[in-house]
Amino acid sequence: LDCDQQNQALMLLNCVDAMGRLPYRSASEMEGADLRVFLGIVERFKKSCLITFRQNQGFAFHEVEELQQLFRRFDRDQDWRIWKPELVQVIEVLFPQEARCREFRPFLVQILQSDEELSLGFSEFLVIMRKIVDQQEQIEFVRQRLAIERLGFSPSEANQFRELFILADKENTQRLTLDQIRQMLCKSFPLNDTHMDQLRTIFHHAIFGTGHHSLPPTAGFIEFLQIMSEVVQMDWCSKL
């Protein structure tokens, strides 16, 4: 493969970094590469991506960029270090619900007290962010499991609802608006004005008291399951 053919093949294999750049190749490799050499280029690129992924604590490139911007915002001395009190403010911005959550607060206190250093650099900051995200996901997993049991859904039913939730969540926000849920339901059966009034009541009842405040109001997966449970009980399909 000559250089242009390599470029086309690498693009098809999605071998580009976060900046859209193709893998580094030596002058001899760019002059021409047989299958063995080309596969070596691809394997080398994958290894470098894995190393970067580990260095970034499993965060994607765009997530690291967002965290860098927030880190710099609280880095008042512009020395790529933030103080512990500033870290508390960062956590309150990134994890507002968890910062106010009684069951999450002891974990946050433990994180803040685990290091005697009064300030931390960006790499240490990423480690803490990963620990918080992992704990957040673990607590959410338990909450979802308990919600599925409480609502009486089987594992297969819960998985089907999860697929519907993911398909409706086109922007990958992990939350759905009332209109997104309406559009999802309309693909299965039409909703008349009475249905919409009932859905609106069900939606607001499900998200009331969750502590998640957003405009427009949105439902996470647990609230979505609650909404679907009530919709199933309403049995709108059989009344059409």
Side-chain angles (χ1 to χ4, degrees):
L1 299 176
D2 61 26
C3 184
D4 289 338
Q5 291 172 326
Q6 290 178 40
N7 291 345
Q8 291 177 16
L10 290 169
M11 290 290 289
L12 287 173
L13 293 172
N14 199 29
C15 288
V16 292
D17 64 15
M19 304 297 290
R21 297 172 299 198
L22 292 169
Y24 166 80
R25 285 157 288 167
S26 66
S28 61
E29 287 174 335
M30 295 185 72
E31 285 180 4
D34 58 17
L35 180 60
R36 181 185 62 82
V37 173
F38 181 76
L39 291 177
I41 295 170
V42 173
E43 183 64 23
R44 191 171 64 218
F45 173 77
K46 289 183 177 179
K47 286 182 178 179
S48 68
C49 287
L50 181 59
I51 292 172
T52 302
F53 185 76
R54 287 173 176 168
Q55 290 174 340
N56 290 338
Q57 299 299 320
F59 290 112
F61 180 79
H62 72 278
E63 292 174 319
V64 173
E65 278 195 325
E66 291 172 0
L67 289 171
Q68 281 181 338
Q69 292 174 6
L70 190 62
F71 185 90
R72 295 294 281 175
R73 187 173 125 199
F74 288 90
D75 176 19
R76 294 188 174 89
D77 299 328
Q78 298 297 298
D79 59 354
W80 279 101
R81 298 193 70 80
I82 60 174
W83 297 91
K84 285 290 181 69
E86 295 167 338
L87 175 60
V88 173
Q89 296 176 31
V90 174
I91 291 173
E92 289 176 345
V93 170
L94 284 174
F95 309 99
Q97 283 184 279
E98 286 72 16
R100 296 190 300 267
C101 178
R102 186 172 300 175
E103 62 181 318
F104 207 89
R105 199 171 298 143
F107 173 78
L108 293 178
V109 171
Q110 181 184 356
I111 287 288
L112 293 170
Q113 295 178 345
S114 62
D115 193 343
E116 295 181 357
E117 291 289 334
L118 296 178
S119 66
L120 62 157
F122 186 68
S123 59
E124 294 93 350
F125 173 74
L126 281 182
V127 171
I128 290 177
M129 292 300 102
R130 172 47 58 194
K131 288 180 179 179
I132 294 176
V133 169
D134 287 348
Q135 181 71 5
Q136 180 188 43
E137 291 177 349
Q138 182 177 345
I139 290 177
E140 182 64 15
F141 174 79
V142 173
R143 286 175 177 168
Q144 290 184 11
R145 179 174 57 80
L146 292 175
I148 291 168
E149 293 175 357
R150 174 173 55 83
L151 295 169
F153 289 127
S154 68
S156 61
E157 288 173 330
N159 287 334
Q160 289 174 0
F161 282 127
R162 190 181 301 278
E163 290 176 10
L164 290 173
F165 184 89
I166 292 172
L167 288 173
D169 181 22
K170 299 185 186 303
E171 297 181 2
N172 195 30
T173 62
Q174 308 299 315
R175 303 195 69 82
L176 296 180
T177 63
L178 174 61
D179 190 58
Q180 286 174 313
I181 295 175
R182 178 191 63 78
Q183 292 179 32
M184 182 202 71
L185 292 174
C186 284
K187 292 178 181 178
S188 300
F189 50 84
L191 296 179
N192 57 36
D193 291 342
T194 301
H195 292 153
M196 272 310 303
D197 287 340
Q198 292 172 331
L199 179 61
R200 193 174 292 107
T201 300
I202 292 170
F203 177 84
H204 288 292
H205 178 263
I207 66 173
F208 178 76
T210 61
H212 186 91
H213 303 286
S214 63
L215 290 175
T218 55
F221 183 63
I222 292 176
E223 296 85 53
F224 175 74
L225 285 176
Q226 176 68 42
I227 293 166
M228 290 301 100
S229 175
E230 296 194 40
V231 167
V232 170
Q233 293 176 31
M234 300 289 282
D235 198 18
W236 288 340
C237 293
S238 65
K239 298 177 182 177
L240 295 177

